[in-house]
């Protein structure tokens, strides 16, 4: 009987669970961290343990994170955590890396979006160049030559105004500088002004608190005190200076207490500030009606009940303000300024304006004290702006008040200075650097735009949309066919965002909007859109006018978010517009210069060229007088940046308009007695002219030297320095001529190098360094010996700039003919190597370059071994940068002088040194590679003994794990392959070839390219028959590599395949060559021209090897593709195949292909014929009759490109068969070419002119002249123009040969046309 299954009770189950839990607990014992005893070691049959230091498993519980119970319901736990902690054991016994290792992989400064960001000009500018954005685009100036030179309007900005402003700025800068200096010294004391005294006075009592005795005693003021605002009780409104009621009030006249307020009948009648005495009537204090104690408020006229003035004299003006009577009581709220346009005197019949909230500042004065009169001016005056912008002119008083209130808030909320923050914070805080790429807002205009002031028509804040009304700014992109608007462009193109009916706008607004659209298309549009807009803005430039154009273009160019491409486009607009506007540009010259001058110091070469081009065109358009009057105030500007850019701009003007026209002005500026800045800038202009124009200064050299020579003895150090630099530039430009022009400056320069130190001495040394090469040998030797004493003393100067100049001077002195090698060896070399050949010089790139050049120049004089001996041991120096400098120097010396004077001992040191330097480099640099290659090639066959060692190094490095090392080793093989052939080391080369063949599976394309280059080098020198591996094995390995899209791989591979196809085609089967042909078709798409050129040549080699028919079939089939580049390369390849295999093998198939009714194919055939006749030259005489009918058909085709290509083919054909008696076919073709004379397509016109030129050569000019005479005197100008163009070409090409072809014209009356002597000759 079967046993009954045992039944488990609840107690059994509980006991079983308890048992399992106990066993689990026994497994979870702590793991040891150190093996101290036997029992702690890992047993053979036991489990291992984890290193708790790494895996952070302190409690050793393997099951710590396991879920030990399952919920009864089916729902998941809600409180599951987001994953395991880094560096700890995860669920399931897996481990993640510790946090410190993960952090190592993260670069905190790495910006993942950096490659997608568009770089702006502002981001790459240094602090000095960034100052361009702080320049103000000045208002337009009057053109004195406009309208026949009539007197300009009084309010226009003339030269006098600008000079006055410039002087005021200069004086202000001097005062500020003085104040700063005195503040540093602690001698600056605040002066208590009347305004401050008034603030300090006790609080004014109420009107009812005053008694008769409280009337203040006023003291009579002297005339010299007249400008200080009075605070006497009865004088004027408190806080208002004298004479401020009327703009015509003049300081300097009598300001007695009871004098009348002077006025003008019309505001603006007199230039403000123009000194003139205004008559004022003396009157008794009792003649006037008493004033109210609150004083007069502007904008309020006299009341009805006031006592009229009876003592008005003849000199008084009607507009003088009567004094209001005391009987008229005013509310304190009436003192708000009146809403009126600023006029000379408050209006007589003005109603008090809407009351305002009282201002924050007592007395309603602007905090900055802009309006000293206490009145709030209206309009542009409120801003303190010299020239208002259009948006600010028509503002209501409320808006002006809001603007001033906002300005006060801005002043109060200005950022705290470092000093203020230091006083607030306890110690321990540090100033963090700004984030990378952060550009602070510097331009005041941008600050205003950043938080725009509410203007009329601007939507303010959030508003609920009303039914039937659409908000103005409903979209962030403009309507219509316009490109996308970038966020940073919104401030310039915001008007395009407003949906307005353009018909309702005024003509000026329509014009502004049109210009804005065109500029947006040019700046942000696609190329076709940009091209059309550029043409439109150029054609309509005079219609738009200079003002509207430049007022929009120039602020765009000052934008801090501008990119290089955008700047290039906008500069192009200015260039085109200048050409059209011509002299209309004169009032805007300074505006343009402010924006364009900074381009002259841009780090981008093309930007500098563009800047010079614009200023040159501007000078030609505006004329010399305008350019000088515009730029004259900037010559002695207080800002060095402005002076620097102005000097460069003047040099461009001189190059555009000629140096002689500018010489008188330069002479005056350089001898200015008023300011040293003007002298400095004038001399800098001469320096920049020399740098810019080079040897073109030679005719004017003496004049330029005479203009600046006095600067060498100027009292200002900066002027002396710039003069020496200018002389150096003149001497450099004049080299090797013109030493006689410098006679007058030699003595001052000589005296200067003994008197000066530091930067001054550096400049004087530079000048002498450039003058010595101009001298005769004996003088050069004498001056070199004299100046060398000072140079050797300055060898130990710590100043980097001085080092560069000293090295330059030493180089020039040593290169001069008269200086003896013996003198250099004995006197210069010991000091030179002691002070310059050190590690520090190798660290600075500019010093490094200059030192290498100077050392090479000395070696040219004293010999290679002298220098190499001194530096060869430094090839084993521990400093890698220094080793590179030594290697580069030796490389250049041996490239120039060879290895003839290198003895065997030096040769050993040299090879040892270069091998050490090559192997020890940590960063693979082309300097070491070039040096190694040059030295080995210079030594030639002498290197045979060292080749096994060199090849061993190369093979070892070819196996290196670093791709750069492998690449460099392969490159070195290609450099030294020729030397290995010279040393007859063919076995070694075969071994290298096999190794390289094995490395053709290289994964890095750069390295693979170098390996192919090395194989190519070996194949070139060893020959096909000796090549190891054999060519039949090598070429099939190259076929798949042709698919590689990397340019370096493609170029080297196609070169190698082409070389094999040229020299050893028989080693490879025709089937393999055809396979390669199909691969080569893809290479015709390559971007690099060298690859395409090598490819089409290879087709020729392959065709020669396997016959043209298969290759031609492949190529003709390729004419059907869409890509133009591919088709053009195919046509070239067909022509090359024809040249290689004779045209008769190609022409039948080519002409047959023309029957395919497809445009691309037919054009391809014609293009092939064009190249074919170009390549085969005189062989074309045998094929010209065969292709004539095909060319006839092409010249009658409706398609322009057919006729254009046929014309090109006829040109090459005609030039090729000149003198071979094919004139009949050519005249026949000329009859088909000639009807294209009136075509307008520029490409076809050019092709037609070329073919006529070719036919002129083949047929003779007389035959073409017979065709031309038909249309030379046609009544229609368009017809005549073309015929005269052809005649001019004939005349240029064959002037004498035309004489015999001129028609004979019989004598008519008094006109004699016959030339008897010509008849005799003929």
């Amino acid at each position: 009987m079967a046993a009954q299954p045992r039944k488990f009770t609840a107690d059994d189950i509980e006991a079983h669970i308890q048992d399992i839990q106990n066993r689990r607990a026994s497994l979870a014992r702590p793991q040891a961290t150190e093996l101290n005893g036997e029992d702690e070691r890992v047993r053979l049959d036991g489990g291992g343990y984890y290193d708790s230091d790494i895996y952070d498993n302190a409690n050793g519980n393997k099951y710590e994170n396991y879920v030990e119970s399952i919920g009864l319901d089916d729902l998941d736990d809600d409180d599951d955590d987001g994953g395991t902690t880094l560096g700890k054991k995860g669920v399931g016994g897996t481990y993640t890396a510790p946090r410190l290792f993960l952090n190592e992989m993260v670069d905190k400064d790495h910006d993942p979006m950096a490659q997608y960001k568009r770089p702006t000009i502002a981001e790459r500018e240094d602090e000095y160049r960034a100052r361009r954005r702080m320049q103000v685009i000045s208002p337009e100036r009057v053109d004195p030559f406009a309208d026949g030179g009539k007197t300009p309007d009084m309010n226009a900005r003339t030269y006098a105004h600008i000079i006055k402003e410039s002087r005021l700025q200069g004086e202000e800068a001097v005062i500020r500088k003085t104040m700063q200096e005195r503040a540093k010294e602690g001698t600056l004391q605040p002066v208590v002004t009347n305004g401050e005294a008034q603030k300090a006075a006790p609080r004014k009592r109420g009107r009812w608190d005053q008694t008769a005795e409280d009337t203040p005693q006023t003291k009579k003021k002297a005339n010299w005190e007249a400008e200080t605002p009075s605070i006497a009780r009865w004088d004027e409104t408190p806080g208002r200076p004298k004479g401020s009621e009327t703009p015509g009030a003049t300081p300097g006249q009598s300001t007695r207490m009871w004098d009348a307020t002077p006025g003008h009948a019309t505001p603006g009648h007199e230039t403000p500030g123009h000194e003139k005495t205004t008559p004022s009537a003396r009157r008794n204090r009792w003649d006037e009606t008493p004033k109210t104690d609150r004083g007069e408020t502007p904008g309020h006229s006299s009341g009805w009940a006031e006592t009229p003035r009876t003592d008005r004299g003849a000199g008084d003006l009607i507009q003088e303000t009567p004094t209001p009577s005391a009987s008229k009581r005013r509310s304190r709220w009436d003192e708000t300024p009146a809403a009126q346009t600023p006029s000379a005197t408050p209006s007589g019949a003005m109603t008090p304006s809407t009351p305002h909230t009282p201002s924050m500042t007592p007395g309603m004065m602007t905090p900055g004290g802009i309006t000293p009169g206490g009145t709030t001016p209206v309009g542009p005056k409120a801003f303190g702006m010299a020239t208002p912008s259009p948006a600010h002119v028509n503002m209501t008083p409320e808006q002006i008040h809001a603007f001033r209130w906002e300005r006060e808030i801005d002043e109060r909320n200005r950022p705290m200075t470092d000093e203020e923050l230091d006083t607030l914070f306890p110690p321990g805080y540090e100033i963090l650097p700004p984030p990378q790429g952060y550009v602070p807002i510097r331009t005041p205009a941008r600050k205003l735009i950043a938080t725009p002031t509410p203007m009329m028509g601007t939507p303010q804040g959030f508003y609920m949309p009303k039914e039937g009304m659409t908000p103005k700014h409903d979209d962030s992109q403009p309507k219509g066919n316009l490109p996308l608007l970038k966020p940073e462009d919104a401030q310039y193109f915001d008007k395009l965002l407003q949906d307005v009916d353009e018909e309702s706008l005024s003509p000026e607004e329509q014009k502004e909007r049109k210009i804005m659209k065109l500029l947006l298309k040019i700046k942000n549009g696609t190329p076709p859109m940009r091209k059309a807009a550029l043409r439109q803005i150029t054609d309509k430039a005079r219609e738009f006018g200079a003002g509207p154009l430049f007022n929009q273009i120039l602020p765009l160019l000052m934008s801090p978010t501008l990119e290089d491409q955008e700047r290039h486009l906008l500069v192009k607009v200015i260039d085109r517009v200048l050409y059209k506007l011509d002299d209309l540009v004169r009032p805007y010259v300074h505006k343009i210069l402010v924006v364009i001058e900074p381009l002259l110091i841009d780090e981008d070469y093309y930007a500098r060229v563009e800047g010079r081009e614009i200023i040159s065109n501007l000078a030609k358009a505006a004329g010399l007088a305008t350019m000088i009057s515009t730029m004259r105030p900037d010559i002695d500007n207080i800002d060095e940046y402005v002076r620097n850019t102005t000097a460069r701009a003047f040099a461009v003007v001189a190059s555009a308009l000629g140096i002689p026209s500018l010489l008188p002005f330069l002479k005056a500026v350089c001898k200015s007695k008023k300011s040293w800045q003007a002298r400095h800038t004038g001399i800098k202009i001469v320096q920049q002219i020399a740098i810019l124009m080079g040897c073109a200064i030679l005719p004017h050299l003496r004049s330029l030297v005479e203009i600046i020579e006095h600067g060498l003895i100027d009292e200002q150090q900066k002027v002396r320095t710039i003069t020496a630099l200018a002389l150096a530039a003149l001497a450099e430009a004049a080299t090797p001529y013109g030493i006689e022009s410098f006679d007058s400056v030699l003595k001052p320069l000589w005296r200067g190098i003994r008197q000066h130190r530091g930067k001054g001495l550096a400049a004087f040394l530079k000048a002498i360094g450039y003058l010595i090469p101009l001298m005769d040998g004996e003088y050069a030797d004498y001056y070199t010996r004299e100046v060398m004493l000072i140079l050797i003393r300055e060898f130990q100067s710590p100043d980097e700039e001085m080092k560069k100049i000293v090295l330059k001077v030493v180089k020039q002195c040593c290169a001069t003919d008269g200086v003896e090698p013996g003198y250099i060896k004995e006197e210069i070399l010991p000091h030179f190597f002691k002070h310059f050949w050190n590690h520090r010089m190798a660290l600075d790139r500019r010093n490094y370059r200059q030192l290498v050049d100077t050392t090479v120049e000395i070696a040219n004089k004293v010999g290679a071994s002298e220098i190499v001996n001194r530096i060869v041991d430094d090839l084993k120096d521990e400093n890698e940068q220094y080793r590179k400098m030594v290697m580069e120097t030796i490389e250049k010396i041996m490239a120039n002088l060879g290895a003839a004077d290198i003895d065997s001992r030096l040769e050993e040191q040299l090879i040892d040194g270069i091998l050490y330097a090559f192997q020890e480099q940590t960063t693979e640099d082309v300097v070491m590679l070039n040096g190694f290659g040059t030295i080995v090639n210079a030594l030639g066959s002498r290197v045979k003994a060292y080749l096994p060692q060199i090849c061993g190094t190369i093979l070892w490095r070819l196996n290196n794990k670093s791709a750069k090392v492998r690449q460099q080793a392969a490159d070195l093989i290609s450099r030294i392959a020729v030397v290995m052939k010279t040393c007859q080391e063919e076995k070694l080369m075969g071994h290298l070839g096999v190794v390289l063949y094995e490395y053709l599976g290289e994964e890095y394309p750069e390295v693979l390219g170098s390996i192919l280059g090395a194989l190519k080098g070996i194949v070139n020198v060893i020959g096909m028959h000796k090549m190891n591996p054999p060519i039949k094995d090598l070429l099939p390995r190259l076929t798949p590599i042709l698919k590689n899209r990397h340019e370096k791989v493609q170029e080297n591979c196609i070169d190698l395949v082409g070389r094999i196809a040229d020299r050893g085609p028989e080693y490879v089967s025709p089937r393999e060559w055809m396979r390669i042909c199909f691969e080569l078709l893809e290479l015709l798409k390559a971007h690099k021209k060298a690859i395409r050129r090598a490819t089409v040549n290879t087709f020729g080699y392959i065709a020669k090897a396997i016959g043209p028919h298969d290759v031609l079939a492949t190529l003709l089939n390729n004419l059907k593709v869409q890509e133009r580049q591919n088709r053009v390369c195919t046509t070239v390849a067909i022509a090359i195949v024809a040249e290689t295999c004779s045209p008769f093998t190609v022409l039948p198939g080519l002409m047959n292909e023309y029957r395919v009714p497809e445009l691309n194919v037919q054009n391809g055939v014609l293009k092939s014929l064009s190249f074919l006749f170009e390549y085969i030259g005189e062989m074309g005489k045998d094929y010209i009759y065969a292709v004539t009918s095909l060319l006839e058909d092409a010249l009658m085709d409706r398609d322009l490109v057919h006729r254009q290509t046929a014309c090109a083919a006829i040109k090459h054909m005609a030039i090729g068969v000149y003198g071979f008696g094919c004139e009949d076919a050519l005249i026949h073709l000329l009859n088909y070419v000639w009807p294209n004379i009136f075509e307008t397509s520029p490409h076809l016109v050019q092709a037609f002119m070329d073919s006529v030129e070719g036919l002129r050569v083949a047929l003779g000019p007389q035959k073409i002249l017979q065709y031309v005479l038909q249309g030379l005197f046609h009544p229609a100008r368009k017809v005549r123009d073309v015929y005269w163009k052809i005649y001019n070409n004939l005349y240029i090409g064959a002037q004498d040969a035309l004489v015999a072809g001129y028609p004979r014209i019989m004598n008519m009356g008094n006109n004699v046309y016959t030339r008897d002597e010509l008849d005799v000759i003929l």
Side-chain angles (χ1 to χ4, degrees), residues 987-1121:
K987 188 179 176 186
L988 201 54
M989 289 172 76
H991 179 54
L992 284 175
V994 171
V995 172
L996 290 169
Y997 174 73
E998 288 166 0
Y999 282 123
L1000 283 176
E1002 172 64 55
E1003 58 181 325
Y1004 286 93
E1006 290 284 346
V1007 186
L1008 181 57
S1010 294
I1011 288 170
L1012 288 165
L1015 273 170
K1016 183 176 69 177
I1018 291 174
V1019 167
N1020 282 346
V1021 296
I1022 204 172
M1024 298 295 157
H1025 56 290
K1026 292 183 184 176
M1027 181 61 192
N1028 197 11
I1031 297 298
K1032 65 182 177 61
D1033 296 336
L1034 176 61
L1035 196 70
R1037 282 296 306 273
L1038 297 177
T1039 312
I1041 296 174
L1042 285 169
K1043 289 189 174 78
N1044 195 306
R1045 286 286 157 267
H1046 193 273
E1047 280 192 347
K1048 185 178 177 185
V1049 176
Q1050 281 183 334
E1051 189 171 4
N1052 283 312
C1053 192
I1054 190 63
D1055 279 350
L1056 182 52
V1057 170
R1059 189 55 52 98
I1060 294 170
D1062 185 21
R1063 296 192 183 172
E1066 65 276 8
Y1067 294 105
V1068 183
S1069 66
R1071 188 184 297 277
E1072 187 63 40
W1073 282 125
M1074 276 312 296
R1075 194 177 295 124
I1076 285 173
C1077 269
F1078 289 116
E1079 297 296 343
L1080 290 182
L1081 291 177
E1082 286 300 305
L1083 288 180
L1084 294 177
K1085 297 175 183 173
H1087 294 296
K1088 201 169 182 183
K1089 192 175 181 181
I1091 298 171
R1092 301 198 301 269
R1093 189 189 292 126
T1095 306
V1096 294
N1097 287 331
T1098 305
F1099 273 115
Y1101 300 139
I1102 294 173
K1104 191 175 180 182
I1106 64 170
H1109 303 292
D1110 291 333
V1111 176
L1112 184 63
T1114 309
L1115 289 170
L1116 289 174
N1117 205 36
N1118 204 44
L1119 286 176
K1120 295 184 175 70
V1121 298

Side-chain angles (χ1 to χ4, degrees), residues 291-324:
K291 298 181 182 181
T292 58
D293 27 88
R294 207 174 282 109
E296 184 180 338
T297 310
H300 288 278
S301 61
S302 53
W304 293 104
E306 287 163 3
T307 312
R309 285 267 310 278
T310 55
D311 59 343
R312 186 177 283 117
D316 290 345
L317 294 166
I318 297 167
Q319 281 84 358
E320 285 182 290
T321 311
T323 316

Side-chain angles (χ1 to χ4, degrees), residues 457-594:
T458 310
Q460 299 175 27
F462 173 78
Y463 60 96
M464 291 295 288
K466 294 179 183 174
E467 196 175 339
M469 285 185 66
T470 54
K472 278 190 177 177
H473 290 239
D474 58 343
D475 196 3
S476 61
Q477 294 300 330
K479 297 280 187 296
N481 183 25
L482 289 171
L484 286 175
L485 192 67
K486 300 176 189 172
E488 59 265 25
D489 291 339
Q491 55 183 323
Y492 304 106
F493 299 105
D494 54 347
K495 288 187 179 175
L496 295 179
L497 298 174
Q498 298 173 9
D499 200 6
V500 295
D501 178 16
E502 295 198 9
E503 298 299 323
S504 62
L505 299 174
S506 67
E508 280 71 28
E509 286 172 329
Q510 285 180 3
K511 198 184 290 180
E512 182 190 16
R513 200 172 170 85
K514 179 72 175 166
I515 294 170
M516 213 175 271
K517 283 181 180 176
L518 291 173
L519 285 176
L520 183 59
K521 285 179 181 177
I522 290 167
K523 186 173 179 289
N524 295 352
T526 58
M529 191 186 284
R530 190 186 302 148
K531 192 175 179 183
L534 197 56
R535 182 171 292 161
Q536 202 172 345
I537 206 168
T538 309
D539 293 341
K540 294 188 174 180
R542 287 185 89 85
E543 183 188 320
F544 287 142
L549 278 169
F550 290 125
N551 287 339
Q552 291 199 49
I553 298 169
L554 299 179
L556 268 173
L557 272 165
M558 296 287 271
S559 165
T561 55
L562 205 64
E563 297 163 28
D564 282 302
Q565 169 69 359
E566 292 171 343
R567 179 175 69 180
H568 164 71
L569 293 168
L570 291 171
V571 167
K572 197 185 221 178
V573 173
I574 292 182
D575 199 17
R576 302 269 182 94
V577 163
L578 275 181
Y579 178 72
K580 285 283 184 183
L581 291 173
D582 203 37
D583 58 346
L584 294 180
V585 84
R586 283 179 184 147
Y588 306 92
V589 169
H590 193 262
K591 272 188 174 187
I592 297 167
L593 286 174
V594 165

Side-chain angles (χ1 to χ4, degrees), residues 588-608:
Y588 306 92
V589 169
H590 193 262
K591 272 188 174 187
I592 297 167
L593 286 174
V594 165
V595 175
I596 299 296
E597 277 177 356
L599 292 182
L600 298 177
I601 57 170
D602 197 276
E603 60 191 22
D604 179 20
Y605 168 76
Y606 296 100
R608 297 199 297 274

Side-chain angles (χ1 to χ4, degrees), residues 686-687 690 694-695 697-710 712 722-750 764 766-775 783:
V686 173
Q687 180 204 20
C695 62
I697 57 142
L698 275 169
H700 321 287
L701 185 58
R702 190 179 291 278
S703 310
L704 291 169
V705 172
E706 284 170 1
I707 284 172
I708 64 171
E709 63 185 5
H710 63 86
L712 290 174
I722 195 67
T723 308
L725 292 173
L727 287 168
L730 287 169
E732 186 181 9
T735 305
Y737 309 105
I739 185 61
E740 60 281 350
S741 301
F742 293 97
D743 286 342
S744 56
V745 295
L746 283 174
K747 198 173 281 182
L749 280 172
W750 221 247
F764 275 72
K766 188 175 183 182
I768 285 176
Y770 278 107
L771 283 173
I772 284 175
L774 310 187
M775 299 177 181
Y783 278 106

Side-chain angles (χ1 to χ4, degrees), residues 709-975:
E709 63 185 5
H710 63 86
L712 290 174
I713 51 172
D714 197 274
E715 69 270 9
Q716 266 289 338
Q717 172 63 44
K718 285 186 177 177
V719 177
R720 296 199 294 272
T721 303
I722 195 67
T723 308
L725 292 173
L727 287 168
L730 287 169
E732 186 181 9
T735 305
Y737 309 105
I739 185 61
E740 60 281 350
S741 301
F742 293 97
D743 286 342
S744 56
V745 295
L746 283 174
K747 198 173 281 182
L749 280 172
W750 221 247
R751 206 175 294 122
I753 62 170
R754 285 168 169 74
Q755 292 172 348
H756 289 83
R757 288 286 182 277
K759 280 190 176 178
L761 174 61
F764 275 72
L765 284 173
K766 188 175 183 182
I768 285 176
Y770 278 107
L771 283 173
I772 284 175
L774 310 187
M775 299 177 181
D776 292 338
E778 54 186 294
Y779 292 110
D781 186 40
Y782 168 74
Y783 278 106
T784 299
R785 288 171 187 272
E786 291 296 315
V787 79
M788 202 52 72
L789 301 170
I790 290 159
L791 283 174
I792 289 169
R793 184 191 74 203
E794 292 301 321
F795 276 3
Q796 49 204 334
S797 166
D799 182 25
E800 299 296 324
E801 199 61 38
M802 176 64 92
K803 279 182 180 171
K804 278 193 276 289
I805 287 172
V806 165
L807 283 168
K808 183 78 176 166
V809 176
V810 169
K811 177 188 169 187
Q812 286 165 320
C813 290
C814 293
T816 309
D817 287 341
V819 182
E820 299 296 327
Y823 171 72
I824 297 174
K825 281 182 192 175
E826 293 161 18
E827 299 295 328
I828 301 175
L829 284 188
H831 302 285
F832 178 77
F833 280 98
K834 178 184 172 187
H835 292 296
F836 287 121
W837 276 91
N838 52 47
H839 292 175
R840 188 176 167 193
M841 290 296 284
L843 296 176
D844 180 11
R845 187 71 197 155
R846 285 175 62 193
N847 279 346
Y848 169 116
R849 175 76 29 238
Q850 190 65 58
L851 179 57
V852 170
D853 291 348
T854 305
T855 311
V856 170
E857 198 60 58
I858 293 173
N860 291 343
K861 201 78 168 185
V862 301
S865 61
E866 185 72 35
I867 303 297
V868 175
N869 253 321
R870 289 177 184 265
I871 59 175
V872 70
D873 290 335
D874 291 339
L875 281 170
K876 293 189 172 183
D877 193 272
E878 74 277 0
N879 185 311
E880 185 174 1
Q881 193 64 25
Y882 185 64
R883 289 201 303 267
K884 278 182 189 169
M885 187 166 77
V886 175
M887 179 71 102
E888 191 171 343
T889 308
I890 294 175
E891 179 218 332
K892 290 191 171 180
I893 290 171
M894 295 192 72
N896 287 348
L897 305 172
D901 59 344
I902 304 281
D903 58 27
S904 58
R905 170 79 185 126
L906 187 55
E907 176 192 304
E908 283 177 23
Q909 283 179 286
L910 204 51
I911 295 291
D912 187 37
I914 62 172
L915 273 170
Y916 176 86
F918 188 72
Q919 290 176 71
E920 290 298 315
Q921 54 185 326
T922 53
T923 55
E924 280 59 43
D925 200 336
V926 74
V927 171
M928 289 296 179
L929 183 65
N930 290 341
F932 203 123
T934 305
I935 291 167
V936 168
N937 279 291
L939 289 168
S941 58
R942 295 163 64 178
V943 89
K944 183 177 173 70
Y946 313 106
L947 277 178
Q949 189 183 353
I950 292 171
C951 288
T953 304
I954 290 172
L955 288 169
W956 180 76
R957 289 174 77 83
L958 269 176
N959 209 17
N960 196 294
K961 66 177 180 181
S962 165
K964 286 269 187 189
V965 173
R966 296 200 301 275
Q967 180 186 339
Q968 200 185 36
D971 285 334
L972 187 57
I973 293 175
S974 57
R975 303 281 173 103

